[in-house]
Amino acid sequence: MTVARVVNRLRRPGTVAAAAAPPRGAVDSYRHDLDGLRGAAIALVVAFHIWFGRVSGGVDIFLVLSGFFFTGSLLRGAESTGAIRIGHTAHRLARRLLPALVTVLTAVFTATVLLRPFTQWTEIAAQTLASLLYYENWYLALSWSDYLAADPSVSPLQHLWSMAVQGQFYLVTLLGVALAVRLCRRLAGPAALRPGLAILLAAIAMASFRYAAHGTSVHQGWNYYDSFARAWELLAGALLAVVVPWLSAPRLVRVTLAVLGVAAVVACGWLIDGADEFPGPAALVPVGAALALIVAGSNLPAAAHPLPNRLLGTPAAVRLGELAYALYLWHWPILIFVLAETRSATAGLVRGLGVLAGSLVLAYLTNRFIEEPLRIRRSSWSAQETPARRRRTGQVVAVLGIAVLAISVGEQVVTRANPPQPVAFLDPVHYPGAAALVGGASTPRARLRPTVYEAPADHAYPSQDGCIADWDTRDVITCAYGNADAQHTVAVVGSSHAEHWVPALDLLAREHNFRVDVYLKMGCPLTVAAEPMYKGEAIPDCRDWSAEVIDRLGVDRPEWVFTTATRPRDKLGDETPADYLDVWSHLAERGLNVLAIRDTPWLRRDGVRYRAIDCLAQNGDRISCGMPRTDALDEVNPALEFAASFANVFPLDLSDAVCEPDVCAVTEGNILIYHDEHHLTASYSRSLAPELGRQLSPILGWW
């Protein structure tokens, strides 16, 4: 199970309209088959999350249903009363959505404090606040775009992005329909409401679809969470709610739609990798499936529904649909905590069944004792659902919500008031760093620096100075380090794994009188590939940026180009990708010499990356938090064999200054090596300067 790729979530949309009047022209007062559709979708979502590591399309189905139910509820209210009661509707939404959400957020925050290292508390507090205030999707989008942000891919709250999207949709739709009702009442009459809304919603949905299609090809990591990119899925359901009174279709058409709809629901997750393609055109499959099943049973009594709809309306499917919201809220954090505590990349059959069972139990308890007491009408109370019990439940949820909000806000205030700072130059006597490995320097007792608190800020200079292009920057940014007036020049080119050598090169350049120019872009090793990828997603900006950088290097003509020569394999060891050889050829054609440095190890267990500071904060030590050297690196530098075929390429390998013979530890010589999962701290990079200088001296001939 690759948790970084599974970014789904759902909500129980039917609760918004559960007690509403039927659509004009409808026969049934309630579509039980759509409850069953929720049940089927949640079953697929949970199974795909736990065992297959893929996006099932279930979230997209729920977005359609949310748009359909909520918009339909608003229209029926407007047509029966002539107005939209904004405050009343907002109160109903909060009463249906917040109790379960607050319960889960409280549990996740508490579990994080009890089970996870304190280095993760601030991040969870930030995501708790984002989830509670319905902007989690934007938080994740910004985290994806911020290369230095904490990786949110294993967050127990990541799945709440779509709750945020839906919450934003509800607010905009509530205000928009209320305005439309008022305008129609004053200008055109009630009969114009549905036709006018149909035109407006169709236009916005088409614009959103085009925007999402474009985003899929240029910026999928952001596009996946973008509210406007997702809007067309909700608007498809909303548009159907507007026109449903006018729908009529022959029996054969309805049966065909129902069969195709169910088939698409089941097959979607197997046929399409939604993490890479939704909400672009590929999302038409789950969206179309939901629309087809809605249309198939519209304006018919339940007994006359096509067989697939009747199957979806069976008690078991309907009951699962009733638990869908709570089940979705619980299953993902339980899965993430289980994987974290067992240090596993996959759940496996037995452990996965345990996650499923625990999620179902908590979903039932949440639905029975929190959701239902606060949702049902006074006239529907049973002997057990007394006003006092409802009041107590509401008070408990309110106290939890206020507590979670206060703690999250307080944590953010304290963190922002005391941000971590980069570490100043360290005394080499007490902090020998790499010299303890390659120079035999003694390591006296001293506090580790940077500390686990300081580490996130102790990154290379270009990131601190704004001298590296981020995800959203296509332009080539250059800055100079070392001696800016020197005649000799080394150009550091590529991604952040070339960047983290800049502190070492800067020291050497100041000592030996040369200039260091940087041409850097986050997540973008220099490439000539037609479709470069990062985290499994296309990054065409990297291709275009690299082409411009190679051309500029041919014009600027630095004496040496310093860039990475290897990358970690998916499982064990490291390799020199074929694309790197193509880059060397392009540089050779321009008469440029290359200093090709072996990449430093990436901290990972069973393919899952982890941060050194998290491991150390959980009472790990420098060895237990490290990696076996054979897992991190091949026995021989892979670049040596290929570099021998290029007269312009000179390989460098400082692995012995980072790793011990048997282990790549996370600290050496009292200095923390990594500020995250795989980037050197600026402090350790500076400690590498003497060994880097020793290897560069015979190649450059400048000292």
Side-chain angles (χ1 to χ4, degrees), residues 9 116 125 137 322 334 476 488 558 598 635:
R9 89 136 219 84
R116 305 307 301 141
N137 65 310
E322 292 172 351
I334 291 174
V476 176
H488 297 305
R598 190 180 192 179
E635 185 176 354

mmCIF file with all atom_site columns, all heavy atoms in Angstrom, residues 9 116 125 137 322 334 476 488 558 598 635:
data_model
loop_
_atom_site.group_PDB
_atom_site.id
_atom_site.type_symbol
_atom_site.label_atom_id
_atom_site.label_alt_id
_atom_site.label_comp_id
_atom_site.label_asym_id
_atom_site.label_entity_id
_atom_site.label_seq_id
_atom_site.pdbx_PDB_ins_code
_atom_site.Cartn_x
_atom_site.Cartn_y
_atom_site.Cartn_z
_atom_site.occupancy
_atom_site.B_iso_or_equiv
_atom_site.pdbx_formal_charge
_atom_site.auth_seq_id
_atom_site.auth_comp_id
_atom_site.auth_asym_id
_atom_site.auth_atom_id
_atom_site.pdbx_PDB_model_num
ATOM 1  N N   . ARG A 1 9   ? -11.347 10.801 -0.172  1.00 0.00 ? 9   ARG A N   1
ATOM 2  C CA  . ARG A 1 9   ? -12.228 10.856 0.977   1.00 0.00 ? 9   ARG A CA  1
ATOM 3  C C   . ARG A 1 9   ? -13.662 11.021 0.526   1.00 0.00 ? 9   ARG A C   1
ATOM 4  O O   . ARG A 1 9   ? -13.939 11.314 -0.616  1.00 0.00 ? 9   ARG A O   1
ATOM 5  C CB  . ARG A 1 9   ? -11.808 11.944 1.959   1.00 0.00 ? 9   ARG A CB  1
ATOM 6  C CG  . ARG A 1 9   ? -12.384 13.273 1.715   1.00 0.00 ? 9   ARG A CG  1
ATOM 7  C CD  . ARG A 1 9   ? -12.814 13.803 3.078   1.00 0.00 ? 9   ARG A CD  1
ATOM 8  N NE  . ARG A 1 9   ? -14.032 14.508 2.999   1.00 0.00 ? 9   ARG A NE  1
ATOM 9  C CZ  . ARG A 1 9   ? -15.239 13.995 3.019   1.00 0.00 ? 9   ARG A CZ  1
ATOM 10 N NH1 . ARG A 1 9   ? -15.456 12.759 3.114   1.00 0.00 ? 9   ARG A NH1 1
ATOM 11 N NH2 . ARG A 1 9   ? -16.287 14.735 2.968   1.00 0.00 ? 9   ARG A NH2 1
ATOM 12 N N   . ARG A 1 116 ? 2.653   9.347  18.415  1.00 0.00 ? 116 ARG A N   1
ATOM 13 C CA  . ARG A 1 116 ? 3.591   9.835  17.422  1.00 0.00 ? 116 ARG A CA  1
ATOM 14 C C   . ARG A 1 116 ? 4.617   10.778 18.051  1.00 0.00 ? 116 ARG A C   1
ATOM 15 O O   . ARG A 1 116 ? 4.380   11.362 19.111  1.00 0.00 ? 116 ARG A O   1
ATOM 16 C CB  . ARG A 1 116 ? 2.853   10.557 16.279  1.00 0.00 ? 116 ARG A CB  1
ATOM 17 C CG  . ARG A 1 116 ? 1.776   9.746  15.608  1.00 0.00 ? 116 ARG A CG  1
ATOM 18 C CD  . ARG A 1 116 ? 2.271   8.382  15.133  1.00 0.00 ? 116 ARG A CD  1
ATOM 19 N NE  . ARG A 1 116 ? 3.370   8.511  14.196  1.00 0.00 ? 116 ARG A NE  1
ATOM 20 C CZ  . ARG A 1 116 ? 4.416   7.712  14.160  1.00 0.00 ? 116 ARG A CZ  1
ATOM 21 N NH1 . ARG A 1 116 ? 4.538   6.722  15.028  1.00 0.00 ? 116 ARG A NH1 1
ATOM 22 N NH2 . ARG A 1 116 ? 5.361   7.894  13.275  1.00 0.00 ? 116 ARG A NH2 1
ATOM 23 N N   . ALA A 1 125 ? -1.520  19.680 14.299  1.00 0.00 ? 125 ALA A N   1
ATOM 24 C CA  . ALA A 1 125 ? -2.318  20.816 14.771  1.00 0.00 ? 125 ALA A CA  1
ATOM 25 C C   . ALA A 1 125 ? -2.739  21.702 13.600  1.00 0.00 ? 125 ALA A C   1
ATOM 26 O O   . ALA A 1 125 ? -3.884  22.155 13.525  1.00 0.00 ? 125 ALA A O   1
ATOM 27 C CB  . ALA A 1 125 ? -1.528  21.629 15.795  1.00 0.00 ? 125 ALA A CB  1
ATOM 28 N N   . ASN A 1 137 ? -8.059  21.048 1.830   1.00 0.00 ? 137 ASN A N   1
ATOM 29 C CA  . ASN A 1 137 ? -7.611  20.817 0.453   1.00 0.00 ? 137 ASN A CA  1
ATOM 30 C C   . ASN A 1 137 ? -6.559  21.835 0.037   1.00 0.00 ? 137 ASN A C   1
ATOM 31 O O   . ASN A 1 137 ? -5.573  21.506 -0.632  1.00 0.00 ? 137 ASN A O   1
ATOM 32 C CB  . ASN A 1 137 ? -8.799  20.834 -0.514  1.00 0.00 ? 137 ASN A CB  1
ATOM 33 C CG  . ASN A 1 137 ? -9.471  22.191 -0.601  1.00 0.00 ? 137 ASN A CG  1
ATOM 34 O OD1 . ASN A 1 137 ? -9.802  22.790 0.428   1.00 0.00 ? 137 ASN A OD1 1
ATOM 35 N ND2 . ASN A 1 137 ? -9.706  22.675 -1.804  1.00 0.00 ? 137 ASN A ND2 1
ATOM 36 N N   . GLU A 1 322 ? -25.616 4.452  5.232   1.00 0.00 ? 322 GLU A N   1
ATOM 37 C CA  . GLU A 1 322 ? -25.866 5.292  6.393   1.00 0.00 ? 322 GLU A CA  1
ATOM 38 C C   . GLU A 1 322 ? -24.607 5.483  7.243   1.00 0.00 ? 322 GLU A C   1
ATOM 39 O O   . GLU A 1 322 ? -24.441 6.503  7.908   1.00 0.00 ? 322 GLU A O   1
ATOM 40 C CB  . GLU A 1 322 ? -26.978 4.681  7.244   1.00 0.00 ? 322 GLU A CB  1
ATOM 41 C CG  . GLU A 1 322 ? -28.344 4.708  6.566   1.00 0.00 ? 322 GLU A CG  1
ATOM 42 C CD  . GLU A 1 322 ? -29.387 3.920  7.338   1.00 0.00 ? 322 GLU A CD  1
ATOM 43 O OE1 . GLU A 1 322 ? -28.997 3.219  8.312   1.00 0.00 ? 322 GLU A OE1 1
ATOM 44 O OE2 . GLU A 1 322 ? -30.568 3.988  6.982   1.00 0.00 ? 322 GLU A OE2 1
ATOM 45 N N   . ILE A 1 334 ? -7.081  5.350  11.108  1.00 0.00 ? 334 ILE A N   1
ATOM 46 C CA  . ILE A 1 334 ? -6.744  4.061  11.715  1.00 0.00 ? 334 ILE A CA  1
ATOM 47 C C   . ILE A 1 334 ? -5.679  3.358  10.880  1.00 0.00 ? 334 ILE A C   1
ATOM 48 O O   . ILE A 1 334 ? -4.692  2.822  11.404  1.00 0.00 ? 334 ILE A O   1
ATOM 49 C CB  . ILE A 1 334 ? -8.002  3.182  11.851  1.00 0.00 ? 334 ILE A CB  1
ATOM 50 C CG1 . ILE A 1 334 ? -8.947  3.774  12.897  1.00 0.00 ? 334 ILE A CG1 1
ATOM 51 C CG2 . ILE A 1 334 ? -7.623  1.753  12.242  1.00 0.00 ? 334 ILE A CG2 1
ATOM 52 C CD1 . ILE A 1 334 ? -10.271 3.048  12.991  1.00 0.00 ? 334 ILE A CD1 1
ATOM 53 N N   . VAL A 1 476 ? 14.112  30.600 -14.975 1.00 0.00 ? 476 VAL A N   1
ATOM 54 C CA  . VAL A 1 476 ? 15.424  30.195 -14.483 1.00 0.00 ? 476 VAL A CA  1
ATOM 55 C C   . VAL A 1 476 ? 15.933  31.276 -13.533 1.00 0.00 ? 476 VAL A C   1
ATOM 56 O O   . VAL A 1 476 ? 16.048  32.442 -13.911 1.00 0.00 ? 476 VAL A O   1
ATOM 57 C CB  . VAL A 1 476 ? 16.405  29.989 -15.638 1.00 0.00 ? 476 VAL A CB  1
ATOM 58 C CG1 . VAL A 1 476 ? 17.796  29.654 -15.098 1.00 0.00 ? 476 VAL A CG1 1
ATOM 59 C CG2 . VAL A 1 476 ? 15.918  28.878 -16.564 1.00 0.00 ? 476 VAL A CG2 1
ATOM 60 N N   . HIS A 1 488 ? 37.298  32.004 -11.960 1.00 0.00 ? 488 HIS A N   1
ATOM 61 C CA  . HIS A 1 488 ? 36.892  30.604 -12.057 1.00 0.00 ? 488 HIS A CA  1
ATOM 62 C C   . HIS A 1 488 ? 35.439  30.446 -11.603 1.00 0.00 ? 488 HIS A C   1
ATOM 63 O O   . HIS A 1 488 ? 35.009  31.082 -10.636 1.00 0.00 ? 488 HIS A O   1
ATOM 64 C CB  . HIS A 1 488 ? 37.792  29.710 -11.205 1.00 0.00 ? 488 HIS A CB  1
ATOM 65 C CG  . HIS A 1 488 ? 39.220  29.697 -11.640 1.00 0.00 ? 488 HIS A CG  1
ATOM 66 N ND1 . HIS A 1 488 ? 39.612  29.377 -12.924 1.00 0.00 ? 488 HIS A ND1 1
ATOM 67 C CD2 . HIS A 1 488 ? 40.371  29.961 -10.960 1.00 0.00 ? 488 HIS A CD2 1
ATOM 68 C CE1 . HIS A 1 488 ? 40.913  29.433 -13.018 1.00 0.00 ? 488 HIS A CE1 1
ATOM 69 N NE2 . HIS A 1 488 ? 41.403  29.796 -11.842 1.00 0.00 ? 488 HIS A NE2 1
ATOM 70 N N   . PRO A 1 558 ? 30.304  28.208 -17.826 1.00 0.00 ? 558 PRO A N   1
ATOM 71 C CA  . PRO A 1 558 ? 31.077  27.979 -16.601 1.00 0.00 ? 558 PRO A CA  1
ATOM 72 C C   . PRO A 1 558 ? 32.154  26.936 -16.880 1.00 0.00 ? 558 PRO A C   1
ATOM 73 O O   . PRO A 1 558 ? 32.019  26.101 -17.776 1.00 0.00 ? 558 PRO A O   1
ATOM 74 C CB  . PRO A 1 558 ? 30.023  27.440 -15.626 1.00 0.00 ? 558 PRO A CB  1
ATOM 75 C CG  . PRO A 1 558 ? 28.992  26.798 -16.507 1.00 0.00 ? 558 PRO A CG  1
ATOM 76 C CD  . PRO A 1 558 ? 28.935  27.667 -17.738 1.00 0.00 ? 558 PRO A CD  1
ATOM 77 N N   . ARG A 1 598 ? 27.823  11.592 -6.672  1.00 0.00 ? 598 ARG A N   1
ATOM 78 C CA  . ARG A 1 598 ? 26.901  10.544 -6.258  1.00 0.00 ? 598 ARG A CA  1
ATOM 79 C C   . ARG A 1 598 ? 25.905  11.100 -5.237  1.00 0.00 ? 598 ARG A C   1
ATOM 80 O O   . ARG A 1 598 ? 26.293  11.811 -4.306  1.00 0.00 ? 598 ARG A O   1
ATOM 81 C CB  . ARG A 1 598 ? 27.674  9.378  -5.653  1.00 0.00 ? 598 ARG A CB  1
ATOM 82 C CG  . ARG A 1 598 ? 26.833  8.131  -5.405  1.00 0.00 ? 598 ARG A CG  1
ATOM 83 C CD  . ARG A 1 598 ? 27.681  7.019  -4.813  1.00 0.00 ? 598 ARG A CD  1
ATOM 84 N NE  . ARG A 1 598 ? 26.985  5.736  -4.834  1.00 0.00 ? 598 ARG A NE  1
ATOM 85 C CZ  . ARG A 1 598 ? 27.502  4.599  -4.387  1.00 0.00 ? 598 ARG A CZ  1
ATOM 86 N NH1 . ARG A 1 598 ? 28.739  4.598  -3.877  1.00 0.00 ? 598 ARG A NH1 1
ATOM 87 N NH2 . ARG A 1 598 ? 26.806  3.470  -4.438  1.00 0.00 ? 598 ARG A NH2 1
ATOM 88 N N   . GLU A 1 635 ? 27.364  -1.338 -3.829  1.00 0.00 ? 635 GLU A N   1
ATOM 89 C CA  . GLU A 1 635 ? 28.737  -1.473 -3.338  1.00 0.00 ? 635 GLU A CA  1
ATOM 90 C C   . GLU A 1 635 ? 29.699  -0.576 -4.110  1.00 0.00 ? 635 GLU A C   1
ATOM 91 O O   . GLU A 1 635 ? 30.635  -0.017 -3.544  1.00 0.00 ? 635 GLU A O   1
ATOM 92 C CB  . GLU A 1 635 ? 29.178  -2.937 -3.436  1.00 0.00 ? 635 GLU A CB  1
ATOM 93 C CG  . GLU A 1 635 ? 30.553  -3.199 -2.845  1.00 0.00 ? 635 GLU A CG  1
ATOM 94 C CD  . GLU A 1 635 ? 30.915  -4.670 -2.861  1.00 0.00 ? 635 GLU A CD  1
ATOM 95 O OE1 . GLU A 1 635 ? 30.046  -5.502 -3.218  1.00 0.00 ? 635 GLU A OE1 1
ATOM 96 O OE2 . GLU A 1 635 ? 32.068  -4.996 -2.510  1.00 0.00 ? 635 GLU A OE2 1
#
